[in-house]
Structure formats: structure tokens, C-alpha cells
């Protein structure tokens, strides 16, 4: 489609699948990564001139300004920003340290907000652009032993819905996806019994894939979704847990 997309957390899981989907559709992608450059390097080799990579730690506030400057220097415009980067944390609420909370908040909330704030003015001046945030089913419902994760993902939903109302008249759409149990590295700790139980709690009878979520993101970014903004799209197979 010849659009420019910036995707955070694009070296694995949902981010990597989303980068691959946009590239396959003919778009340009800046794939951001932290510790795993190899998958992004493979994308660059497969899609020369359309796939680009940039390494940074979004858990550090000071990384945002250089990243935004790089985006502006690399592309004449950014059409779509996909705020995907994140980590899961399973622990009892009483065991969570202040440092762990600060790290989750910075990565899941502050970084997307600051990066959006840096790239949004150019979208507003053109009268077009899209922000797509990756939240979670737990941001909608909450989860035991994932209180902090549920909190930050709920904040992503609030950010999405409020910003959509603020910038809609200026031609910018803001949406989110809320994945359910997706078979990525975040689920690596699950046993076979855990996976079976979670699949049984899902109406479609299986765990989701990164490609399932990527497909939803690409759909929200498409012209067919031109009248959709402020939406949090569940991608959870109708999880009933």
C-alpha cells in the first residue's frame, strides 16, 4: 500500500508478525527492537529498501527523543504508529516492587504516549494518520496475579479512547487491539495442561497466534476501517475464563 509504519517491539511475537504482514502488503516498516536484532535483520534482508530497524530500550524515557528524531530523518512522514512493545509479569500484588511497577508503567504507558506525542503533530498537520495500540484482555477485565499488567493495559485503553476523541476531527484515527491468550513467548511458561485448560476456556477452542493479532491490526489500518476510531477490538477467540 506504500505507507510508512513504525512498530515497537517488532523483533518477535505480535510485533514481528505485524511487521511481516505490513511488508507483505507493500508498506514500509521501521521495526523497533531491544535485545533481539536478528529477526529484524532478516526482515531487512527479505525486504530491502522497505524494512528498516532501530534498536532502543523503550523502558528508558531518554530513548524516546532520539527514536523520534530517527523516524523523522528516515521517512518524510509516518502514516501509522503501532505501539506494541511490552512484557508480561506474573506475580502476587504484594510482592511487586516499586522498581518493577515503574518499569512496567514506563514501557507500556509512558513510552507509547511520548512516542505518539512526538509523531502525532506531523499527522495532524497532514490531516491523516493512525495510532494503533496493543492492550490486552486483562486491561478490560483484570487478572489475578497480573494486577500491575492489568493496570497498565487498562491505561492504554483509556489513552486510546480519549485521544481518538481529541484528534478525530483532524483526520487521525486511534484504535487498540486487546489480545487474549496468544501463543507467543509471553506464554512460554505455560505447561501443556495450562494450554489445554486455556484452550477449553476459549470459544474457538485454541490459543491465538501472533498472526491472528497482526491480521486485526492490519484490518484496523485498512481503508475498510476508515470509520472506526476509539475502538478496542478484542482478539481473544471469545475467552470465557
Amino acid at each position: 500500500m506504500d505507507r510508512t509504519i513504525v512498530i515497537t517491539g517488532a523483533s518477535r511475537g505480535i510485533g514481528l508478525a505485524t511487521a511481516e504482514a505490513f511488508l507483505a502488503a507493500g508498506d514500509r516498516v521501521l521495526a523497533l527492537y531491544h535485545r533481539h536484532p536478528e529477526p529484524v535483520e532478516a526482515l531487512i534482508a527479505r525486504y530491502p529498501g522497505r524494512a528498516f530497524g532501530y534498536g532502543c530500550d523503550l523502558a528508558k524515557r531518554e530513548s524516546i527523543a532520539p527514536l523520534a528524531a530517527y523516524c523523522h530523518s528516515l521517512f518524510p512522514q509516518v502514516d501509522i504508529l503501532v505501539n506494541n512493545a511490552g512484557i508480561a509479569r506474573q506475580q502476587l500484588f504484594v510482592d511487586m516492587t516499586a522498581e518493577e511497577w515503574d518499569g512496567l508503567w514506563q514501557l507500556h504507558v509512558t513510552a507509547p504516549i511520548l512516542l505518539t506525542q512526538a509523531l502525532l503533530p506531523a499527522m495532524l498537520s497532514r490531516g491523516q494518520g493512525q495510532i494503533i495500540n496493543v492492550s490486552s484482555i486483562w486491561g478490560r477485565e483484570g487478572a489475578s496475579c497480573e494486577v500491575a499488567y492489568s493496570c497498565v493495559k487498562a491505561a492504554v485503553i483509556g489513552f486510546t479512547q480519549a485521544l481518538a476523541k481529541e484528534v478525530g476531527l483532524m483526520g487521525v484515527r486511534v484504535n487498540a487491539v486487546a489480545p487474549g491468550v496468544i501463543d507467543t513467548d509471553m506464554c512460554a511458561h505455560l505447561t501443556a495442561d495450562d494450554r489445554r485448560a486455556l484452550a477449553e476456556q476459549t470459544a474457538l477452542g485454541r490459543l491465538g497466534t501472533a498472526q491472528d493479532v497482526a491480521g486485526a491490526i492490519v484490518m484496523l489500518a485498512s481503508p475498510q476501517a476508515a470509520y472506526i476510531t476509539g475502538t478496542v477490538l478484542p482478539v481473544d477467540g471469545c475467552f470465557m475464563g
Side-chain angles (χ1 to χ4, degrees):
M1 290 186 185
D2 196 32
R3 302 168 300 181
T4 298
I5 294 95
V6 175
I7 305 172
T8 69
S11 65
R12 57 183 184 167
I14 292 169
L16 179 59
T18 302
E20 291 174 332
F22 278 120
L23 287 165
D27 295 311
R28 290 176 298 276
V29 171
L30 174 59
L32 308 184
Y33 63 89
H34 180 203
R35 295 191 180 94
H36 306 284
E38 296 83 6
V40 174
E41 292 168 352
L43 285 180
I44 294 170
R46 285 170 54 199
Y47 298 97
R50 290 200 291 115
F52 306 85
Y54 183 87
C56 64
D57 183 0
L58 293 176
K60 296 180 178 178
R61 182 185 293 256
E62 60 269 23
S63 70
I64 303 298
L67 166 57
Y70 182 76
C71 292
H72 291 310
S73 69
L74 185 62
F75 303 121
Q77 67 183 49
V78 173
D79 299 296
I80 301 166
L81 169 62
V82 180
N83 288 309
N84 164 74
I87 58 172
R89 185 177 294 282
Q90 291 85 28
Q91 63 185 149
L92 292 174
F93 174 66
V94 294
D95 292 337
M96 181 183 64
T97 67
E99 290 75 17
E100 289 169 340
W101 167 254
D102 288 345
L104 277 178
W105 186 263
Q106 168 62 36
L107 180 59
H108 289 266
V109 183
T110 302
I113 286 175
L114 293 181
L115 184 54
T116 299
Q117 193 175 43
L119 299 183
L120 182 60
M123 295 181 182
L124 296 176
S125 68
R126 296 194 313 273
Q128 61 180 15
Q130 295 185 55
I131 310 296
I132 301 175
N133 300 313
V134 177
S135 180
S136 168
I137 185 177
W138 307 134
R140 294 165 57 90
E141 301 179 8
S144 172
C145 296
E146 293 192 65
V147 172
Y149 183 77
S150 298
C151 285
V152 297
K153 288 305 190 181
V156 170
I157 290 174
F159 170 53
T160 299
Q161 294 173 330
L163 186 61
K165 293 178 179 179
E166 184 169 316
V167 300
L169 285 177
M170 291 167 278
V172 176
R173 296 193 293 116
V174 188
N175 290 294
V177 293
V181 184
I182 308 300
D183 195 6
T184 65
D185 290 348
M186 284 190 178
C187 290
H189 65 285
L190 296 175
T191 67
D193 287 342
D194 291 335
R195 290 169 181 269
R196 192 158 36 248
L198 288 166
E200 290 172 355
Q201 291 175 296
T202 303
L204 292 182
R206 65 174 177 87
L207 303 188
T209 67
Q211 289 72 26
D212 289 327
V213 184
I217 292 171
V218 170
M219 183 277 292
L220 285 173
S222 71
Q224 287 73 29
Y227 199 56
I228 298 175
T229 194
T231 290
V232 182
L233 178 65
V235 189
D236 59 16
C238 190
F239 184 72
M240 300 176 289

